[in-house]
Amino acid sequence: DRPGERDVPIWVTATAVRDGGNQISRYMAMFSDLSGLQRSQQQLQHMAHFDSLTGLANRTLALLKLEQGMQRAAAQKIPLAVLYIDLDRFKAINDSLGHAIGDEVLRQAGRRLARCCDDADTLARLSGDEFLLISHGRQPESVRELGEHICTSMRAPVVLEDGREIYIGASVGYACYPLDGDSSADLVRNADAAMDTAKSIGRDQVCGYSRAMTEEASQRFELERGLRKALENHEFELHYQPLIQVRSRRAYGVEALLRWRHPQHGLISPDKFIPLAEQNGLIVQIGSWVLHEACRQARQWQEQGLGLEMIAVNLSPRQFIQQDVVALVRTVLEESGLPASMLELEITESALMANAQQGEQTLRQLKDLGVTLAIDDFGTGYSSLAYLRRFPLDKLKIDKSFLAGVPQNTEDNQLVTTILDMAANMRLHVVAEGVETEAQWRFLQGRGCGACQGFLFSRALPPAGLPDWLAQQ
Ligand code: C2E
Ligand code: CA
Ligand code: CA
């Protein structure tokens, strides 16, 4: 090659030109430079197979590589494993710090994962914060070690340009070929199920696939199917737990708590199905039903002169973020005829933190309707009272886990006392949850806590039982 010369792919079109006697007199050739086209084709292929954010393989390429790898593994009898990696706190980071930072976190996570791999491995980003690693030649024991190595490396903070440190962490599930599946779809699904288990037993850890998981998954599927039907089949009920004024020990209101009367399994507590309903979005419909039913019931009791001052209803974070919850509350109040001042809405911190700005606005609009706003499960989330100051809240409910240690555990006593003092400072009313003993009640009384609820006074009662209970207290 002479300097400055390079090969250029060209497209040649040649045409024979004939003269009057139909003899070929000359040929005409047209050369077109194809490098531009070739570049865009390569780019297209790259886009079809790689993730533009991290530069890693995408799902399509990963599945292609997995198919090829399985064929090779079967022919040469070498083991193959699929690791499913999901970042632990990514959603919260993305929601609270913004997408630009979310993207940076994903890029850094991708680079870290790449450092955990061998050359022969395939690392892919499947979607969002989910990654897949196809590893060759490792026995199950060594696959687990690789997974642990990944968890360890993801524990170190991600350092942003401005020096801020963010902690993410990862949960890893793996499935081995051919032991845990003999199709690519099975392997990926099983690694994913193992990852779900890693998440559910506390995150930041590795789980191998086991057959028991498929059973769990099919039970979940059953539950989900039932849940979809539960609304139309009128299988939901609200039970009502009395809210007690500490000083007088008298009930001033109730909290509506959801129950599912399952045709086969009987009464199911919300902890068993609400997380699922949150995941699949059904909570939005279920939540509107709850609000309608609670307000209807409260209005009825008001008309019967039962003497309750208020009713508290739980809002799920998802409902709070997705739905036009302000419109819903307005409609429900109008339809039921319940005075807004009698309705209290309980919201968890995480719902507010997920989108603080919108959260603040929504709360103000709700406040304008005249309802009371309470922070539920205080102490289990971010627990920053200073941060909560910006929201127009009326009340704070101390999570029952803090009461459990009162009064024998001095640390819990101190915590509850501190929360009570700070709340008083911020002019927030306080409800202590989970009061089960006289000693707890006395402790709260001594510390000036306004209200409480718990099994000491009553469990959540079916609506028919409440009037009698109130009459006897
Ligand atoms: P939560 O809002 O913190 O409700 C209080 C839970 O503590 C209730 O459990 C109640 O029965 C239980 N509890 C009350 N007193 C005591 C006590 O003295 N000791 C102990 N150990 N527990 C006590 P439940 O009814 O099983 O509800 C669990 C959670 O399910 C609720 O926690 C709430 O987060 C959610 N939930 C219930 N109903 C609804 C609903 O209608 N919508 C939404 N989004 N979530 C709901
Ligand atoms: Ca609650
Ligand atoms: Ca609570």
Side-chain angles (χ1 to χ4, degrees):
D1 282 10
R2 270 182 265 157
E5 281 187 353
R6 62 187 176 96
D7 292 334
V8 171
I10 53 169
W11 177 260
V12 183
T13 333
T15 322
V17 182
R18 292 170 195 274
D19 61 17
N22 206 23
Q23 295 296 307
I24 292 176
S25 67
R26 63 193 76 180
Y27 292 94
M28 210 169 75
M30 205 164 78
F31 299 85
S32 11
D33 180 352
L34 279 184
S35 33
L37 185 66
Q38 203 178 36
R39 255 197 313 276
S40 32
Q41 234 159 25
Q42 278 167 354
Q43 226 164 17
L44 268 179
Q45 194 165 24
H46 195 270
M47 267 160 50
H49 281 157
F50 291 89
D51 163 43
S52 59
L53 182 66
T54 58
L56 298 175
N58 65 10
R59 180 186 290 270
T60 313
L61 184 59
L63 293 180
L64 219 67
K65 291 263 187 184
L66 180 55
E67 293 284 350
Q68 291 167 357
M70 284 167 61
Q71 280 169 16
R72 205 148 34 93
Q76 303 172 2
K77 304 250 173 305
I78 43 172
L80 177 150
V82 172
L83 291 90
Y84 207 107
I85 304 143
D86 189 293
L87 304 186
D88 284 338
R89 271 172 291 277
F90 183 71
K91 202 181 159 336
I93 291 165
N94 210 30
D95 287 345
S96 58
L97 301 180
H99 294 275
I101 289 179
D103 286 353
E104 178 55 24
V105 167
L106 287 175
R107 272 192 292 266
Q108 291 203 31
R111 282 201 289 277
R112 262 188 223 182
L113 289 173
R115 268 182 253 127
C116 298
C117 304
D118 294 338
D119 288 343
D121 296 346
T122 300
L123 177 64
R125 177 169 165 241
L126 294 184
S127 66
D129 60 346
E130 297 187 324
F131 297 84
L132 194 80
L133 173 56
I134 304 165
S135 168
H136 301 272
R138 287 175 185 268
Q139 299 297 339
E141 209 25 59
S142 153
V143 175
R144 167 170 288 278
E145 277 165 23
L146 173 61
E148 270 155 14
H149 181 47
I150 289 174
C151 287
T152 312
S153 87
M154 299 305 275
R155 261 171 230 150
V158 169
V159 183
L160 300 177
E161 265 176 14
D162 59 8
R164 265 188 295 178
E165 293 189 340
I166 295 179
Y167 289 83
I168 34 176
S171 301
V172 180
Y174 64 89
C176 300
Y177 174 77
L179 201 68
D180 300 327
D182 51 13
S183 74
S184 58
D186 277 357
L187 281 175
V188 174
R189 198 191 48 232
N190 292 345
D192 186 9
M195 184 278 291
D196 272 343
T197 309
K199 280 238 188 262
S200 65
I201 58 179
R203 306 174 162 197
D204 184 29
Q205 53 198 304
V206 190
C207 262
Y209 171 77
S210 74
R211 251 165 238 298
M213 276 176 204
T214 352
E215 262 161 52
E216 198 187 291
S218 76
Q219 273 174 10
R220 247 177 78 108
F221 180 74
E222 274 305 307
L223 193 71
E224 180 159 358
R225 213 169 48 173
L227 202 55
R228 287 187 188 281
K229 293 242 174 87
L231 256 185
E232 52 185 282
N233 291 350
H234 307 290
E235 289 165 12
F236 289 120
E237 296 176 7
L238 290 181
H239 286 196
Y240 299 88
Q241 185 174 37
L243 299 164
I244 310 291
Q245 185 182 47
V246 172
R247 199 164 30 84
S248 65
R249 274 186 89 134
R250 293 191 73 80
Y252 63 92
V254 288
E255 176 178 0
L257 292 160
L258 185 61
R259 303 287 181 262
W260 177 13
R261 194 170 293 280
H262 191 283
Q264 281 95 46
H265 307 304
L267 214 57
I268 305 183
S269 95
D271 290 331
K272 296 247 164 44
F273 63 87
I274 285 197
L276 185 63
E278 299 237 351
Q279 267 175 31
N280 62 23
L282 279 173
I283 191 69
V284 173
Q285 285 159 280
I286 299 175
S288 336
W289 178 83
V290 169
L291 200 62
H292 273 106
E293 175 57 19
C295 291
R296 185 202 62 76
Q297 179 67 74
R299 171 71 181 165
Q300 190 186 336
W301 281 332
Q302 190 200 16
E303 281 169 346
Q304 293 169 356
L306 219 58
L308 290 175
E309 291 159 33
M310 52 76 71
I311 184 159
V313 177
N314 293 283
L315 282 187
S316 116
R318 180 117 180 208
Q319 212 180 344
F320 188 72
I321 295 161
Q322 269 188 358
Q323 199 178 26
D324 187 352
V325 72
V326 182
L328 173 72
V329 172
R330 191 184 294 121
T331 313
V332 169
L333 287 173
E334 273 167 19
E335 282 179 16
S336 64
L338 188 74
S341 59
M342 286 183 69
L343 178 62
E344 181 167 310
L345 299 172
E346 298 190 0
I347 302 148
T348 56
E349 279 168 278
S350 55
L352 290 183
M353 301 297 170
N355 187 345
Q357 219 149 29
Q358 199 207 324
E360 191 178 341
Q361 205 191 347
T362 308
L363 288 187
R364 292 210 181 275
Q365 290 170 334
L366 287 172
K367 197 93 226 152
D368 287 343
L369 292 179
V371 301
T372 307
L373 301 172
I375 278 286
D376 205 356
D377 302 344
F378 183 79
T380 58
Y382 297 74
S383 312
S384 161
L385 268 180
Y387 190 82
L388 285 180
R389 201 184 277 274
R390 61 189 284 194
F391 300 109
L393 298 164
D394 305 288
K395 223 174 249 190
L396 177 160
K397 298 189 77 171
I398 305 180
D399 190 69
K400 52 183 174 290
S401 57
F402 292 97
L403 265 289
V406 169
Q408 62 283 2
N409 180 327
T410 43
E411 216 172 294
D412 281 352
N413 292 347
Q414 191 57 53
L415 259 167
V416 172
T417 309
T418 308
I419 297 176
L420 283 168
D421 289 348
M422 287 167 76
N425 248 318
M426 290 172 60
R427 297 195 167 70
L428 287 174
H429 296 281
V430 179
V431 183
E433 294 182 331
V435 176
E436 297 182 353
T437 66
E438 290 289 339
Q440 288 169 336
W441 171 73
R442 274 196 302 275
F443 176 89
L444 293 172
Q445 196 189 32
R447 300 278 183 306
C449 177
C452 64
Q453 71 192 94
F455 296 165
L456 174 63
F457 312 101
S458 173
R459 295 184 176 252
L461 300 166
L466 192 76
D468 279 349
W469 185 90
L470 284 173
Q472 276 168 18
Q473 74 163 343

